Amino acid sequence: MAEKLLCLLIFFCCLHWIQPDNINEDTEDWMQKGQDELAAALKIQHNMGVAKNVILFLADGMGVSTVTAARIYKGQRDGKSGEETLLNFEHFPHAAFAKTYSTDKQVSDSAGTATAFLGGVKANSGTLGVNARVTRQNCTVFPEGSVDTIMDWALAAGKSVGLVTTTHVTHATPAAAYAHTPERDWESDATMGSANDLCKGKVKDIATQLIEDESNTRIKVILGGGRRHFLPNTALVPGTLDQLNVHGRVDGRDLIQVWKDNKDNRGAKATYLWNKQQLDAIDVNKTDYLLGLFNQGHMSFELNRNMTGVITEPSLAEMTTAAIRILSKDDNGFFLLVEGGRIDHAHHGNNAHLALSETVAFDDAVAVAKEMTGDETLMVVTADHSHVLTMAGYPDRGHDIFGIQDSLSQDGAQDLMPYATLSYANGPGPGRVDLTYTDTTSKFHQQSRLVPMNYETHAGEDVGIYATGPMSHLFHGVHEQNYIAHVMAYASCVGPNTQHCHQHRPREPDAETKTKGDGLCESGGLRRATDVVVTLMALLVSFLWWNL
């Protein structure tokens, strides 16, 4: 009997030792977490090497509130309380903020901001690849006001380049890398109705620039949506027998065929594809140039890719994987732009669920790229602008990020109706309504808004910059958004400032590499060891119970 009482004592000691991963942390837990994080920070060393590769991850519309809500969403999706979760790029050793205003707007659009972080100069909203002398739809000083970009600089240095997006490949962010136009909406000849005679004589539509301009013919990877801008409106949609390319080109040109002919004339190994199955089957060794247009318009939201039970569009992570595999064949290195573009679109519709899902899908692409590349790659994650998403109230730890606050709680609303944690300052969503019987967790749910508008607007606060790899420590504090292009160029020895490249710059292990593998001193290592000990003790108790 005494032996079994001893077993029970040991058992209850084990129970006391076991602590859940979330919520019930005590002083010792927080002190250990703080010391672990401090130890990791003390090991960070500046990587002064040359960046052979540069990957810019641009999350369109990913403001700070989106990052916070997305990390909670990711954690809760994985069965945790959520708040303690970090997105993959939040593990990067260096972070900063970027000021997103354009030369003419306090709150900018995606065109002016993209020109800044890709071209190194701030510009007017609505314009792409031009300086502030060029105003929207004004061709008086065009093309004199055109500017080169990090993609141009990389090409001039003999590197391979590529772009991946979930929007049209002619949309604002990717287009700013290769196009020059006073109007972001001139994606094809069918959308140039607002152009006057002067502009029509000077400016080619964005799709034509992508396919025809000499420097752009050297872009090795182009993956995304927007197929309709490359095909005539009389063409059939791939995979259909009778569906016409509505809103397609009116000049009758097939720019996809033009792209194929250009590569054939150069003897290049090139592949065009339009669905996930073709991308999955790609032979990288037989492909030097890849054009993939997976939707007539923008690509589907991540949560909607499997609506019909057959996935025909690749994920952003899958497109990123294909791009890196092809670009990595170049011994001189590469520049790759990866855009998670539909975060922005979901926010514009007041749909936080879709926006957060897109953010996590974007983060998955970051993880894939980090795994595929080494310490010679500078990775920069940032956003072009924010959105008016707000996270409010005093929800309990672990509260569903899409949930509602109790109307009768101490922090309840004066009108005695429940309210959601997430809402918007403006947009097309419902106003103040009773959410008691509304499924606010549905991916189709529109969050409430304050000011009614047809289209939710951008927000003007700073956005984050997260970086790892060579010279990533140059991101610190608060920067103008155009600074991003200058750091990427400096780190990779391309562009206007390369004097330092002729000096010896020692390579040091990437900060993340130096902070890994610390065993029990690593954050979470002690808890894992504790779990192992507890399990062994429980087995010992069971053995003693039945054998004494």
Side-chain angles (χ1 to χ4, degrees):
M1 184 65 181
E3 292 86 349
K4 291 193 174 183
L5 287 175
L6 176 61
C7 291
L8 287 174
L9 178 61
I10 296 174
F11 176 73
F12 284 113
C13 287
C14 292
L15 288 179
H16 178 73
W17 199 355
I18 298 173
Q19 298 179 27
D21 287 337
N22 305 321
I23 299 179
N24 292 325
E25 303 98 335
D26 60 16
T27 300
E28 183 179 350
D29 290 317
W30 287 114
M31 291 298 292
Q32 185 62 53
K33 288 178 181 179
Q35 288 299 310
D36 289 346
E37 189 168 347
L38 176 61
L42 289 170
K43 292 182 179 180
I44 294 176
Q45 296 185 18
H46 293 169
N47 185 337
M48 301 297 292
V50 175
K52 177 181 178 181
N53 313 310
V54 175
I55 306 177
L56 174 60
F57 280 92
L58 193 287
D60 197 321
M62 187 182 72
V64 173
S65 61
T66 300
V67 172
T68 303
R71 80 163 74 103
I72 294 174
Y73 166 72
K74 177 183 178 181
Q76 292 181 348
R77 185 195 64 178
D78 295 339
K80 303 176 182 178
S81 69
E83 298 85 359
E84 74 293 334
T85 301
L86 287 177
L87 298 170
N88 289 292
F89 59 79
E90 292 183 291
H91 289 284
F92 287 3
H94 301 288
F97 282 106
K99 298 189 287 183
T100 64
Y101 68 92
S102 60
T103 54
D104 64 333
K105 296 288 185 180
Q106 191 174 76
V107 179
S108 187
D109 77 330
S110 295
T113 53
T115 300
F117 58 71
L118 290 168
V121 300
K122 289 221 171 190
N124 294 312
S125 289
T127 65
L128 292 169
V130 294
N131 60 32
R133 295 171 57 209
V134 179
T135 57
R136 193 164 190 173
Q137 296 193 7
N138 188 333
C139 298
T140 305
V141 290
F142 184 87
E144 295 83 1
S146 299
V147 298
D148 289 335
T149 70
I150 181 69
M151 186 170 281
D152 296 312
W153 301 333
L155 284 169
K159 294 177 179 288
S160 293
V161 299
L163 61 90
V164 173
T165 181
T166 52
T167 67
H168 303 164
V169 296
T170 52
H171 212 239
T173 298
Y178 62 80
H180 309 279
T181 177
E183 176 51 64
R184 59 173 287 179
D185 291 335
W186 293 346
E187 296 184 58
S188 80
D189 66 325
T191 63
M192 290 191 67
S194 61
N196 59 28
D197 290 341
L198 177 63
C199 287
K200 288 180 179 177
K202 285 187 171 185
V203 184
K204 293 187 291 186
D205 65 81
I206 295 170
T208 298
Q209 290 187 52
L210 176 58
I211 299 301
E212 286 190 345
D213 287 3
E214 193 280 329
S215 61
N216 295 338
T217 63
R218 293 184 286 152
I219 300 175
K220 288 195 171 179
V221 178
I222 304 169
L223 299 175
R227 189 167 51 227
R228 66 171 178 248
H229 297 311
F230 296 84
L231 294 172
N233 56 14
T234 56
L236 293 178
V237 174
T240 70
L241 298 176
D242 57 0
Q243 186 178 346
L244 292 177
N245 182 36
V246 180
H247 306 303
R249 302 187 65 83
V250 296
D251 60 7
R253 301 190 68 194
D254 182 343
L255 294 181
I256 295 173
Q257 189 59 51
V258 173
W259 181 86
K260 292 179 180 178
D261 292 343
N262 174 273
K263 303 303 177 286
D264 287 343
N265 293 338
R266 294 164 55 182
K269 296 180 289 187
T271 300
Y272 165 71
L273 39 82
W274 55 271
N275 63 46
K276 168 181 164 56
Q277 289 69 31
Q278 293 170 332
L279 183 66
D280 291 342
I282 195 75
D283 187 340
V284 173
N285 295 323
K286 296 181 180 179
T287 306
D288 293 328
Y289 290 85
L290 181 63
L291 172 62
L293 300 174
F294 302 104
N295 197 303
Q296 296 297 103
H298 300 301
M299 294 182 67
S300 299
F301 287 113
E302 178 64 23
L303 287 179
N304 294 342
R305 281 199 307 131
N306 193 25
M307 289 284 284
T308 63
V310 179
I311 301 177
T312 60
E313 297 180 21
S315 67
L316 185 61
E318 290 168 338
M319 291 191 292
T320 300
T321 298
I324 293 175
R325 290 178 65 200
I326 290 175
L327 297 176
S328 294
K329 297 192 298 181
D330 191 335
D331 292 335
N332 291 325
F334 63 83
F335 170 78
L336 174 62
L337 170 64
V338 179
E339 183 199 21
R342 305 226 61 195
I343 302 168
D344 174 78
H345 296 167
H347 278 320
H348 279 310
N350 285 166
N351 192 311
H353 201 145
L354 289 180
L356 301 190
S357 171
E358 290 297 303
T359 305
V360 173
F362 169 84
D363 188 53
D364 291 340
V366 174
V368 165
K370 189 70 176 73
E371 185 176 343
M372 295 180 68
T373 57
D375 62 4
E376 291 184 324
T377 299
L378 170 64
M379 290 179 58
V380 181
V381 176
T382 189
D384 45 1
H385 54 74
S386 183
H387 274 271
V388 296
L389 174 72
T390 184
M391 181 177 166
Y394 298 96
D396 291 336
R397 176 83 178 272
H399 185 82
D400 191 325
I401 191 63
F402 302 118
I404 58 176
Q405 306 297 306
D406 186 353
S407 60
L408 300 180
S409 70
Q410 181 179 355
D411 306 310
Q414 292 181 348
D415 59 12
L416 301 182
M417 290 193 297
Y419 63 94
T421 302
L422 300 178
S423 62
Y424 289 86
N426 59 45
R432 185 72 176 117
V433 295
D434 189 350
L435 299 173
T436 301
Y437 302 106
T438 300
D439 182 8
T440 57
T441 66
S442 168
K443 70 176 182 179
F444 302 109
H445 175 68
Q446 279 186 307
Q447 269 64 34
S448 298
R449 49 78 188 142
L450 177 61
V451 180
M453 301 182 71
N454 292 330
Y455 205 51
E456 179 262 7
T457 70
H458 295 169
E461 70 267 20
D462 299 349
V463 296
I465 307 171
Y466 310 84
T468 186
M471 308 306 288
S472 57
H473 60 280
L474 295 179
F475 292 110
H476 61 96
V478 179
H479 304 290
E480 295 288 356
Q481 197 166 38
N482 65 302
Y483 175 75
I484 296 172
H486 292 271
V487 173
M488 294 189 297
Y490 183 90
S492 56
C493 287
V494 304
N497 183 359
T498 59
Q499 296 92 333
H500 61 287
C501 300
H502 305 296
Q503 304 171 6
H504 176 66
R505 279 166 56 179
R507 297 190 184 278
E508 297 181 7
D510 183 74
E512 285 194 311
T513 302
K514 294 185 71 65
T515 58
K516 287 183 177 179
D518 293 329
L520 294 182
C521 293
E522 188 178 4
S523 179
L526 184 59
R527 180 173 299 283
R528 287 193 296 272
T530 299
D531 291 343
V532 171
V533 172
V534 170
T535 301
L536 292 175
M537 292 183 69
L539 291 173
L540 176 60
V541 169
S542 297
F543 175 80
L544 293 174
W545 180 269
W546 293 108
N547 290 277
L548 290 179

